Amino acid sequence: MDKIIKIISIAVFFITVLFFTVLTVILPKFEFSEAENRTLSQFPELSFKSVYDESFMNGAETYVSDHFAFRTSLFSVKINVDRLFGKNIVNGVLFLEDRFVMPVTDIDENNIERNVLSLNEFAKNTSVPVYVMIAPTSAGVYASEIPSYYANADQRTIIENISYELDNGIIALNPFSILSASRDEYIYYRNDHHWTTYGAFIAYNATIKLMGYNPVPFSNCDIEHVNSSFYGTLYSKTLYDGFRADVIDNIHVKGGYSEESVEIYTGTDTMKSESMFFSHFLDLSDKYSYFLNRALYPEVTIKTNYPEENNLLVIKDSYAHCFVPFLVQHFSKITMLDLRSISVSQIEDIINTEEFDQILVLYNFENFATDINIRKLSLVK
Amino acid sequence: MVFSSLTFFCFYLPTVLGVYYISPRKLKNFVLLVTGLIFYAWGEPRYVFVMIASAFIDYIAGRIIASSDENDFRRRTACLVISVCMNLALLGVFKYSSFIIGGINEIFGTVFIDPKLPLPIGISFYTFQSMSYTIDLYRGKIKVQKNIVDFMAYITMFPQIVAGPIVTYDKIEGQLKDRSIGLDRMSDGVCRFVNGLGKKVLLANNVGLLWEEVKAMNYSELSLVTAWLGIIAFAFQIYFDFSGYSDMAIGLGKMLGFDFPENFNYPYEAISITDFWRRWHITLSSWFRDYLYIPLGGNRKGTARTAFNLLVTWSLTGLWHGASLNFILWGAYFGILIIIEKFITGKYIALIPKFPAKILTFVLVLFGWVLFETNTVMDSVDYFKAMLGLNGIIADSTSLYAVVNYGIILVVCAVGSTSFVKWAGKFFGKLKIDFTVVAKPFIILGIMLLSLAYLVSDGYNPFLYFRF
C-alpha cells in the first residue's frame, strides 16, 4: 500500500509537470489576448548580447508565462481562492455587492493642478467658449459602498474644487449630483470602467442647457439593446465572472437628427463610416468600442444633418464615446480629439480653435487626475 | 533562475532530471556541474565566471594542502589563508564595498567613489560552502577531492546554489562519489519539493503582500494593531519563503540522490532565543558555530571571553544577511539575548510553562524582524513605537482592512508554522485507513495546481487603456 502510494505520488508529480510542459509547447500561440486586452510577448532572440544583458532570460520567462497552457483558467482559479480567503481587491479592482469598482488611489494633486492651469491657459488663448465636464467613475458614485479602509479619492469634492479653480471663461458641467441621484439606475457597467449609455444620457440631459441647448427628453428616445454579454475591462483585470454580464444599449432619438458621415483619422490613414456605431466590436471583448470606434485614434469627425452650421470640438477620453452621439441633435459637425495620440509637435497644426463655435473637454475623473497629455492644450495658440 | 518559476518548473526541471537519470553513473556529476552552471548563468550570466574562478582556486588550494607534508605547517597555512581570504575578499568586494565605502566617507568626510557593484546571486552561500572545504581539509577532517568535476559539482549543483542550505563538504563527501535514488528517496523528494513550493508560492507570497503594504506606510501614524499584524505577516513571509526554498532544495537534492542537512525545525515554536537559533537557518548557525565561535575559543575561556565570542559571532551572523547597520544590530540583538539567556535567565527557562515561553520568544523574534526589515535605524525606532502603542492609536481602518483581507491567511500561516500539521498527521495515521498516506497524491496535485495558478497570475498584468 505504502509503496503504491509512493509510486502514485511520484507519477502525479511528473505527469502534472509534463502535462503543462507539453501543452505549453504544442498548443497554438496567440499574439493577442482578448481576455486581457493586450499583446502577448514574442520569444526572444538568442544571441551573445541578449544573454549578456539578460534580455534573453527575462524574455523567455515572460514568454513562458504569457503562453502558458490554460493560463486564463489558472488565473480564475487564483481569483476564486483569493476570494475564499477574504481578499476583495484584485489588480486594483474591488468587488462590491453586485459590481466591480476601481477605486482611485494616489491622487497626484500637482498633476490635477497642472491640468487645470493648462485648461485655463487654453481658454485664455481662444475666443471660443470652453466647457469642461469631468465625469465621476463608478468608484466615485458608489463611494459609500466601498469600505472606508480602502483608499478611494473623494471624487465629489475634487471635481467640485476643480470647477472652482477653472477660470470664469470656462463653464464647468458637473454631472456628479445627477449621477449620484440616479445611482440605483443602470448608469455604470458592472464589469467595465465606463458609464453606460444611460449614464451618459443622464449627464447630457442635466448639463446641456449650460451649453445653450434644450435637451431631448428621455420619453422621446428609443432604447435598443445591442448586446447583453459584455464583460469589460474590470472583468479583464480580474477574470472573475461572478457578476452578471453587462448590457450595451444604444439610445436613439425618435425623429431626431442623425450622422451623415464619420471620418476616423488613425494617425496614418482615414477610415470612413456612415454610422457612429461599429457593430463588429460587439463580437470582440472590446465591446465598448461599438461607440465611435477605439478611443486611441487621434481624430474623429462626425458630420450630421443638423440644418444650421454649428461646429463643436470635443477634447476627450473614452467616456465621450457614448456621450457624443447625443450631441448630434445640436451640431452640424463634431470633431473629437484624443490628446493621448497627438504629439506635442502636431498639436498646433491639428487644433485651430477658431473653426469651432464651442469646445467641450470631457474626461472621466481618473483620467483627468492622472493624464499627462492635457497639458498639451496650453501649447495651442 | 528560481525554483518558484514556470520556466524552472516546466522546462528546466524535467529536462535536467531526464538527462541526469539517463546519464551513466560516471557522468552524473558532470551533468550536475553543467546544468548547475546553466541554472546559475540564467540569473547571473556575467558573474558565473567569478564563481567558477573561486571554486577553481579552492580546488587548487585543497590539492596543495593535501599534497603538502603534514609538518609543512607554513605551506598548508598559506594555502588555507589564501583560500579563506579570497572567499572573504569576494564577499567584501561584492557584498560590502558600498557599505564600507559609505561608512568611511560618512565618518571621515572622504569622497571615495562607490563602485556600486551588484551582488552576485548566491555568493554568500557558495563562498561559505567553499570555505568549509578548505578549512576542514586543513583540519584533517575530510579527504582531498582530486576530481575537479566532483568538486565543481559540489559547488555548482543547482538545488543549493542560490539560497542554501549551506551544505558543508563533510556532509556530502561520500554522496558525491556514491549515491542512489530509490523509491523512498524519490517520493520523499517529490513531497518535500511540492511542500516547499506551496510554502513559498501560496503562503509566503500572499502573506507578504500585507507586509509590503504596511512597510510602505508612515510608521509614525501606524496603529498598534496594524504594526503587529504587519510584522507578524513579515515573520511568516520570511519563514515560509526561506524554509519553503530550503524544502525545495532538499527535495530536489533527494531527487538527485543527495541528503542535504535540514535547515528549519519549527523555529516559531522555540522556547528561548537560544532554542530559536537551533531551529532557524540551522546550516548557517552551525557554520558560524563550527568555523567562527569555536575557533574563537567558544565557551572555554571564561565568562567575559564567552560573552565577547557570542557577541562577535552573532554580529557577524547578522552582517552575513546584508550590508547594512540594521543587520549588524539585528545580529547583535540576538547575541545579547543569547548572552543573557546563557548567564542569567537560562536556569529559569525550564521552570516556566512552555506556552508562555514560546509566546515570549516569538515576540522577541518579532522585535528582531523589525530591526531586520526596516530600512534605517530611525525607521526601526518609529516602528517599535507603533508596536508599543506610543502613537496613541490602538486600531484604525487599516487594521480592519488587514484583518478582512489577510485574516485567514495569517491564521493558516500560524497553524502551518507549528508542528500542528505533523501532530494531526500522526493522529490520522493511527486510524484504520491511514488518510495521510492515501491523501498524499491528491495533496501533491492540489498544491501543484494552486501554485501554478499563483505563478501564472504573477505575470497577469492586463493593460487597460491601451486599446480603449
Side-chain angles (χ1 to χ4, degrees):
Chain A
M1 178 69 178
D2 205 34
K3 206 172 166 185
I4 296 170
I5 292 290
K6 279 179 179 164
I7 293 170
I8 295 176
S9 301
I10 297 168
V12 163
F13 178 78
F14 283 102
I15 290 170
T16 312
V17 170
L18 290 174
F19 174 79
F20 283 99
T21 310
V22 169
L23 286 181
T24 299
V25 171
I26 62 169
L27 282 181
K29 306 285 179 288
F30 299 96
E31 275 179 27
F32 184 81
S33 160
E34 278 288 330
E36 287 171 71
N37 232 315
R38 70 181 181 97
T39 310
L40 300 173
S41 67
Q42 304 281 310
F43 196 77
E45 206 176 305
L46 179 61
S47 70
F48 180 76
K49 189 182 165 292
S50 69
V51 169
Y52 182 79
D53 66 16
E54 293 174 44
S55 61
F56 174 76
M57 292 81 141
N58 296 334
E61 298 211 352
T62 314
Y63 180 83
V64 170
S65 166
D66 271 6
H67 300 277
F68 203 72
F70 307 113
R71 188 162 184 275
T72 39
S73 316
L74 286 169
F75 191 80
S76 359
V77 168
K78 186 230 173 202
I79 295 300
N80 285 301
V81 175
D82 272 353
R83 291 272 288 156
L84 272 179
F85 273 64
K87 268 202 147 174
N88 257 326
I89 194 157
V90 174
N91 280 339
V93 178
L94 185 69
F95 296 74
L96 292 186
E97 180 95 19
D98 56 351
R99 64 168 62 251
F100 290 116
V101 293
M102 192 157 65
V104 185
T105 54
D106 289 335
I107 286 290
D108 179 359
E109 280 170 23
N110 292 329
N111 194 53
I112 295 181
E113 179 77 26
R114 183 154 186 187
N115 286 343
V116 169
L117 290 177
S118 304
L119 288 178
N120 286 342
E121 181 79 14
F122 174 63
K124 205 171 72 189
N125 288 333
T126 179
S127 57
V128 181
V130 177
Y131 305 83
V132 172
M133 177 185 290
I134 297 170
T137 65
S138 53
V141 169
Y142 297 102
S144 62
E145 289 175 33
I146 298 176
S148 60
Y149 45 84
Y150 291 105
N152 184 28
D154 180 358
Q155 297 192 21
R156 180 193 286 270
T157 308
I158 299 175
I159 293 174
E160 246 167 52
N161 288 344
I162 292 171
S163 314
Y164 293 136
E165 282 170 37
L166 290 170
D167 279 352
N168 288 338
I170 301 178
I171 294 172
L173 313 177
N174 187 350
F176 196 101
S177 308
I178 186 73
L179 287 168
S180 184
S182 318
R183 58 209 308 280
D184 292 333
E185 315 265 354
Y186 189 43
I187 55 173
Y188 286 93
Y189 294 115
R190 290 178 284 266
N191 299 293
D192 191 83
H193 71 287
H194 292 105
W195 53 6
T196 62
T197 320
Y198 185 61
F201 179 86
I202 286 177
Y204 152 82
N205 194 275
T207 57
I208 199 69
K209 263 206 172 120
L210 290 168
M211 289 180 77
Y213 307 101
N214 277 326
V216 176
F218 193 60
S219 54
N220 249 18
C221 297
D222 279 332
I223 300 179
E224 177 194 7
H225 300 305
V226 293
N227 188 281
S228 55
S229 60
F230 178 37
Y231 283 99
T233 52
L234 301 184
Y235 162 77
S236 279
K237 280 228 163 199
T238 58
L239 293 186
Y240 174 81
D241 58 5
F243 297 129
R244 240 178 334 133
D246 280 303
V247 177
I248 297 181
D249 288 339
N250 195 347
I251 299 179
H252 302 280
V253 177
K254 278 186 244 180
Y257 300 110
S258 61
E259 69 272 29
E260 285 184 328
S261 74
V262 176
E263 281 187 14
I264 298 172
Y265 175 61
T266 64
T268 47
D269 55 353
T270 305
M271 294 192 290
K272 288 187 180 168
S273 166
E274 285 177 0
S275 163
M276 293 186 285
F277 308 106
F278 295 79
S279 307
H280 68 277
F281 283 106
L282 298 174
D283 300 327
L284 305 174
S285 72
D286 182 9
K287 294 185 171 38
Y288 183 80
S289 293
Y290 169 74
F291 300 103
L292 284 162
N293 216 303
R294 288 178 180 147
L296 71 145
Y297 297 130
E299 188 171 356
V300 179
T301 312
I302 304 159
K303 288 191 179 134
T304 76
N305 59 4
Y306 186 80
E308 295 155 43
E309 175 145 336
N310 195 14
N311 283 349
L312 175 70
L313 172 65
V314 182
I315 311 245
K316 57 84 195 175
D317 66 9
S318 56
Y319 265 50
H321 283 223
C322 64
F323 182 90
V324 162
F326 303 122
L327 301 181
V328 167
Q329 303 312 319
H330 312 291
F331 293 93
S332 60
K333 189 175 143 199
I334 301 168
T335 306
M336 291 164 50
L337 295 180
D338 203 307
L339 295 176
R340 293 171 291 187
S341 310
I342 301 174
S343 70
V344 172
S345 56
Q346 296 168 315
I347 195 108
E348 277 190 88
D349 300 334
I350 288 189
I351 305 184
N352 178 10
T353 55
E354 305 308 318
E355 291 171 16
F356 301 99
D357 298 296
Q358 287 172 310
I359 298 172
L360 170 65
V361 177
L362 172 58
Y363 278 87
N364 76 47
F365 172 79
E366 179 160 18
N367 274 352
F368 189 83
T370 56
D371 190 88
I372 52 165
N373 298 294
I374 295 173
R375 63 186 62 162
K376 290 174 188 164
L377 285 178
S378 60
L379 299 172
V380 178
K381 291 280 159 355
Chain B
M1 209 182 298
V2 289
F3 301 151
S4 52
S5 78
L6 298 171
T7 319
F8 175 83
F9 198 57
C10 283
F11 292 92
Y12 180 89
L13 185 63
T15 314
V16 168
L17 288 181
V19 173
Y20 182 80
Y21 291 147
I22 58 169
S23 302
R25 190 170 279 253
K26 277 188 175 169
L27 281 182
K28 284 199 194 299
N29 283 352
F30 182 71
V31 172
L32 277 186
L33 167 61
V34 173
T35 55
L37 288 176
I38 294 171
F39 179 85
Y40 189 83
W42 185 267
E44 206 67 271
R46 291 175 290 264
Y47 292 112
V48 66
F49 298 104
V50 172
M51 181 181 68
I52 295 173
S54 89
F56 185 71
I57 291 172
D58 286 322
Y59 169 77
I60 299 290
R63 288 297 295 269
I64 299 176
I65 291 175
S67 66
S68 307
D69 196 310
E70 288 250 332
N71 301 320
D72 193 348
F73 178 73
R74 287 173 74 177
R75 189 166 157 190
R76 288 162 53 87
T77 311
C79 285
L80 176 69
V81 169
I82 288 172
S83 159
V84 170
C85 287
M86 182 220 31
N87 281 300
L88 292 180
L90 282 180
L91 279 180
V93 169
F94 285 106
K95 194 167 176 177
Y96 299 110
S97 59
S98 294
F99 177 59
I100 295 169
I101 290 169
I104 290 174
N105 286 347
E106 182 109 333
I107 296 168
F108 299 106
T110 48
V111 280
F112 292 114
I113 292 161
D114 179 358
K116 294 214 167 77
L117 292 168
L119 179 66
I121 297 167
I123 193 166
S124 316
F125 292 92
Y126 72 70
T127 50
F128 270 45
Q129 293 205 161
S130 222
M131 276 191 278
S132 81
Y133 168 73
T134 45
I135 296 173
D136 281 349
L137 193 63
Y138 178 83
R139 290 169 169 173
K141 210 173 145 190
I142 51 169
K143 284 207 193 78
V144 68
Q145 177 56 267
K146 288 190 177 159
N147 186 332
I148 189 164
V149 171
D150 289 358
F151 181 76
M152 298 292 265
Y154 158 62
I155 300 293
T156 61
M157 69 169 96
F158 71 90
Q160 36 75 2
I161 192 167
V162 169
I166 298 170
V167 185
T168 50
Y169 185 78
D170 59 317
K171 299 248 170 31
I172 210 176
E173 194 178 8
Q175 298 170 37
L176 270 176
K177 206 160 31 181
D178 183 33
R179 58 183 179 270
S180 63
I181 298 171
L183 183 63
D184 287 347
R185 196 173 271 129
M186 191 69 200
S187 82
D188 279 358
V190 164
C191 293
R192 273 310 273 279
F193 179 81
V194 173
N195 187 20
L197 185 71
K199 276 169 143 181
K200 159 84 182 116
V201 177
L202 302 179
L203 299 181
N205 288 1
N206 284 320
V207 81
L209 295 173
L210 172 57
W211 171 241
E212 207 175 281
E213 291 181 50
V214 175
K215 191 183 179 183
M217 291 174 189
N218 181 355
Y219 300 155
S220 53
E221 290 167 9
L222 223 51
S223 70
L224 179 137
V225 173
T226 310
W228 281 89
L229 287 176
I231 201 65
I232 288 173
F234 175 72
F236 288 140
Q237 180 191 11
I238 191 167
Y239 168 66
F240 285 110
D241 194 287
F242 201 0
S243 79
Y245 213 83
S246 291
D247 283 341
M248 286 191 270
I250 292 168
L252 291 167
K254 284 192 190 298
M255 292 186 212
L256 300 169
F258 290 97
D259 286 321
F260 294 153
E262 290 298 328
N263 219 11
F264 291 87
N265 179 25
Y266 303 110
Y268 294 148
E269 288 197 333
I271 53 166
S272 68
I273 294 298
T274 315
D275 188 26
F276 174 77
W277 276 101
R278 284 193 205 114
R279 294 158 170 270
W280 179 276
H281 203 175
I282 300 166
T283 57
L284 179 74
S285 37
S286 323
W287 197 99
F288 272 100
R289 184 194 63 215
D290 294 344
Y291 299 100
L292 182 66
Y293 178 65
I294 293 176
L296 279 174
N299 59 3
R300 287 159 295 153
K301 294 190 176 169
T303 311
R305 184 58 195 263
T306 306
F308 173 79
N309 289 346
L310 282 170
L311 198 58
V312 168
T313 305
W314 287 103
S315 302
L316 288 175
T317 306
L319 186 61
W320 180 89
H321 287 80
S324 120
L325 191 57
N326 280 54
F327 292 116
I328 302 178
L329 287 178
W330 175 72
Y333 167 79
F334 282 117
I336 291 166
L337 287 175
I338 285 172
I339 292 168
I340 293 173
E341 283 180 0
K342 198 168 188 83
F343 296 113
I344 307 169
T345 59
K347 293 167 266 189
Y348 309 111
I349 284 175
L351 300 178
I352 37 176
K354 275 205 174 150
F355 189 68
K358 284 180 185 175
I359 297 289
L360 178 66
T361 307
F362 184 59
V363 168
L364 288 172
V365 170
L366 286 182
F367 279 105
W369 289 135
V370 174
L371 281 174
F372 185 91
E373 239 318 83
T374 46
N375 292 326
T376 65
V377 179
M378 277 316 293
D379 280 352
S380 304
V381 172
D382 284 344
Y383 204 94
F384 286 137
K385 282 185 186 163
M387 286 175 77
L388 297 172
L390 297 178
N391 287 345
I393 323 161
I394 300 297
D396 55 9
S397 60
T398 319
S399 321
L400 189 60
Y401 162 79
V403 170
V404 171
N405 278 272
Y406 295 97
I408 299 177
I409 184 96
L410 282 168
V411 171
V412 171
C413 285
V415 172
S417 64
T418 65
S419 49
F420 174 80
V421 177
K422 210 172 162 186
W423 176 84
K426 271 187 192 150
F427 173 78
F428 282 111
K430 282 181 197 146
L431 300 177
K432 230 176 206 167
I433 305 167
D434 188 343
F435 286 109
T436 51
V437 173
V438 179
K440 212 176 243 177
F442 296 101
I443 295 173
I444 288 176
L445 184 64
I447 295 179
M448 285 176 81
L449 291 180
L450 279 181
S451 299
L452 282 174
Y454 275 80
L455 284 176
V456 165
S457 312
D458 265 356
Y460 186 83
N461 185 16
F463 194 61
L464 263 188
Y465 291 102
F466 177 53
R467 312 244 313 189
F468 280 75

PDB file of all heavy atoms in Angstrom, chain A residues 156-167:
ATOM      1  N   ARG A 156     -16.391  63.552  -5.540  1.00  0.00           N
ATOM      2  CA  ARG A 156     -17.348  64.659  -5.499  1.00  0.00           C
ATOM      3  C   ARG A 156     -16.617  65.964  -5.141  1.00  0.00           C
ATOM      4  O   ARG A 156     -16.744  66.970  -5.842  1.00  0.00           O
ATOM      5  CB  ARG A 156     -18.452  64.374  -4.472  1.00  0.00           C
ATOM      6  CG  ARG A 156     -19.480  65.485  -4.391  1.00  0.00           C
ATOM      7  CD  ARG A 156     -20.360  65.315  -3.161  1.00  0.00           C
ATOM      8  NE  ARG A 156     -21.331  64.234  -3.279  1.00  0.00           N
ATOM      9  CZ  ARG A 156     -22.565  64.398  -3.778  1.00  0.00           C
ATOM     10  NH1 ARG A 156     -22.960  65.577  -4.207  1.00  0.00           N
ATOM     11  NH2 ARG A 156     -23.383  63.375  -3.830  1.00  0.00           N
ATOM     12  N   THR A 157     -15.843  65.909  -4.063  1.00  0.00           N
ATOM     13  CA  THR A 157     -15.165  67.115  -3.597  1.00  0.00           C
ATOM     14  C   THR A 157     -14.118  67.590  -4.591  1.00  0.00           C
ATOM     15  O   THR A 157     -14.023  68.778  -4.892  1.00  0.00           O
ATOM     16  CB  THR A 157     -14.487  66.830  -2.243  1.00  0.00           C
ATOM     17  OG1 THR A 157     -15.456  66.262  -1.386  1.00  0.00           O
ATOM     18  CG2 THR A 157     -13.928  68.088  -1.634  1.00  0.00           C
ATOM     19  N   ILE A 158     -13.335  66.629  -5.116  1.00  0.00           N
ATOM     20  CA  ILE A 158     -12.253  67.046  -6.002  1.00  0.00           C
ATOM     21  C   ILE A 158     -12.814  67.648  -7.291  1.00  0.00           C
ATOM     22  O   ILE A 158     -12.334  68.668  -7.784  1.00  0.00           O
ATOM     23  CB  ILE A 158     -11.303  65.870  -6.296  1.00  0.00           C
ATOM     24  CG1 ILE A 158     -10.670  65.387  -4.980  1.00  0.00           C
ATOM     25  CG2 ILE A 158     -10.204  66.285  -7.267  1.00  0.00           C
ATOM     26  CD1 ILE A 158      -9.805  64.145  -5.108  1.00  0.00           C
ATOM     27  N   ILE A 159     -13.894  67.040  -7.822  1.00  0.00           N
ATOM     28  CA  ILE A 159     -14.489  67.586  -9.052  1.00  0.00           C
ATOM     29  C   ILE A 159     -15.034  68.989  -8.781  1.00  0.00           C
ATOM     30  O   ILE A 159     -14.869  69.914  -9.577  1.00  0.00           O
ATOM     31  CB  ILE A 159     -15.597  66.656  -9.596  1.00  0.00           C
ATOM     32  CG1 ILE A 159     -14.981  65.340 -10.082  1.00  0.00           C
ATOM     33  CG2 ILE A 159     -16.353  67.326 -10.734  1.00  0.00           C
ATOM     34  CD1 ILE A 159     -15.990  64.285 -10.506  1.00  0.00           C
ATOM     35  N   GLU A 160     -15.667  69.172  -7.608  1.00  0.00           N
ATOM     36  CA  GLU A 160     -16.183  70.494  -7.252  1.00  0.00           C
ATOM     37  C   GLU A 160     -15.047  71.513  -7.165  1.00  0.00           C
ATOM     38  O   GLU A 160     -15.145  72.621  -7.687  1.00  0.00           O
ATOM     39  CB  GLU A 160     -16.896  70.422  -5.891  1.00  0.00           C
ATOM     40  CG  GLU A 160     -18.382  70.675  -5.991  1.00  0.00           C
ATOM     41  CD  GLU A 160     -19.081  70.276  -4.707  1.00  0.00           C
ATOM     42  OE1 GLU A 160     -18.643  70.739  -3.629  1.00  0.00           O
ATOM     43  OE2 GLU A 160     -20.046  69.487  -4.779  1.00  0.00           O
ATOM     44  N   ASN A 161     -13.967  71.102  -6.507  1.00  0.00           N
ATOM     45  CA  ASN A 161     -12.835  72.026  -6.371  1.00  0.00           C
ATOM     46  C   ASN A 161     -12.259  72.402  -7.724  1.00  0.00           C
ATOM     47  O   ASN A 161     -11.871  73.553  -7.933  1.00  0.00           O
ATOM     48  CB  ASN A 161     -11.737  71.400  -5.507  1.00  0.00           C
ATOM     49  CG  ASN A 161     -12.168  71.341  -4.058  1.00  0.00           C
ATOM     50  OD1 ASN A 161     -13.124  72.018  -3.658  1.00  0.00           O
ATOM     51  ND2 ASN A 161     -11.477  70.529  -3.274  1.00  0.00           N
ATOM     52  N   ILE A 162     -12.228  71.437  -8.631  1.00  0.00           N
ATOM     53  CA  ILE A 162     -11.710  71.740  -9.972  1.00  0.00           C
ATOM     54  C   ILE A 162     -12.601  72.795 -10.632  1.00  0.00           C
ATOM     55  O   ILE A 162     -12.120  73.750 -11.230  1.00  0.00           O
ATOM     56  CB  ILE A 162     -11.623  70.467 -10.828  1.00  0.00           C
ATOM     57  CG1 ILE A 162     -10.540  69.538 -10.272  1.00  0.00           C
ATOM     58  CG2 ILE A 162     -11.316  70.800 -12.282  1.00  0.00           C
ATOM     59  CD1 ILE A 162     -10.507  68.155 -10.898  1.00  0.00           C
ATOM     60  N   SER A 163     -13.921  72.652 -10.460  1.00  0.00           N
ATOM     61  CA  SER A 163     -14.852  73.621 -11.051  1.00  0.00           C
ATOM     62  C   SER A 163     -14.553  75.031 -10.548  1.00  0.00           C
ATOM     63  O   SER A 163     -14.598  75.992 -11.308  1.00  0.00           O
ATOM     64  CB  SER A 163     -16.299  73.284 -10.698  1.00  0.00           C
ATOM     65  OG  SER A 163     -16.536  71.922 -10.885  1.00  0.00           O
ATOM     66  N   TYR A 164     -14.227  75.140  -9.258  1.00  0.00           N
ATOM     67  CA  TYR A 164     -13.922  76.472  -8.704  1.00  0.00           C
ATOM     68  C   TYR A 164     -12.636  77.026  -9.267  1.00  0.00           C
ATOM     69  O   TYR A 164     -12.490  78.222  -9.466  1.00  0.00           O
ATOM     70  CB  TYR A 164     -13.796  76.404  -7.169  1.00  0.00           C
ATOM     71  CG  TYR A 164     -15.091  76.078  -6.479  1.00  0.00           C
ATOM     72  CD1 TYR A 164     -15.143  75.157  -5.451  1.00  0.00           C
ATOM     73  CD2 TYR A 164     -16.276  76.719  -6.870  1.00  0.00           C
ATOM     74  CE1 TYR A 164     -16.332  74.853  -4.821  1.00  0.00           C
ATOM     75  CE2 TYR A 164     -17.470  76.427  -6.243  1.00  0.00           C
ATOM     76  CZ  TYR A 164     -17.497  75.484  -5.217  1.00  0.00           C
ATOM     77  OH  TYR A 164     -18.675  75.185  -4.612  1.00  0.00           O
ATOM     78  N   GLU A 165     -11.678  76.131  -9.523  1.00  0.00           N
ATOM     79  CA  GLU A 165     -10.364  76.610  -9.954  1.00  0.00           C
ATOM     80  C   GLU A 165     -10.305  76.950 -11.440  1.00  0.00           C
ATOM     81  O   GLU A 165      -9.356  77.581 -11.887  1.00  0.00           O
ATOM     82  CB  GLU A 165      -9.282  75.567  -9.622  1.00  0.00           C
ATOM     83  CG  GLU A 165      -8.908  75.588  -8.157  1.00  0.00           C
ATOM     84  CD  GLU A 165      -8.030  74.412  -7.785  1.00  0.00           C
ATOM     85  OE1 GLU A 165      -7.190  74.030  -8.618  1.00  0.00           O
ATOM     86  OE2 GLU A 165      -8.210  73.884  -6.671  1.00  0.00           O
ATOM     87  N   LEU A 166     -11.315  76.503 -12.182  1.00  0.00           N
ATOM     88  CA  LEU A 166     -11.335  76.861 -13.599  1.00  0.00           C
ATOM     89  C   LEU A 166     -11.668  78.345 -13.717  1.00  0.00           C
ATOM     90  O   LEU A 166     -12.465  78.883 -12.950  1.00  0.00           O
ATOM     91  CB  LEU A 166     -12.376  76.022 -14.340  1.00  0.00           C
ATOM     92  CG  LEU A 166     -12.037  74.535 -14.486  1.00  0.00           C
ATOM     93  CD1 LEU A 166     -13.245  73.757 -15.003  1.00  0.00           C
ATOM     94  CD2 LEU A 166     -10.849  74.346 -15.417  1.00  0.00           C
ATOM     95  N   ASP A 167     -11.051  79.027 -14.700  1.00  0.00           N
ATOM     96  CA  ASP A 167     -11.285  80.457 -14.874  1.00  0.00           C
ATOM     97  C   ASP A 167     -12.747  80.739 -15.176  1.00  0.00           C
ATOM     98  O   ASP A 167     -13.480  79.871 -15.645  1.00  0.00           O
ATOM     99  CB  ASP A 167     -10.424  80.974 -16.040  1.00  0.00           C
ATOM    100  CG  ASP A 167      -9.006  81.220 -15.580  1.00  0.00           C
ATOM    101  OD1 ASP A 167      -8.775  81.141 -14.356  1.00  0.00           O
ATOM    102  OD2 ASP A 167      -8.137  81.466 -16.448  1.00  0.00           O
TER     103      ASP A 167
END
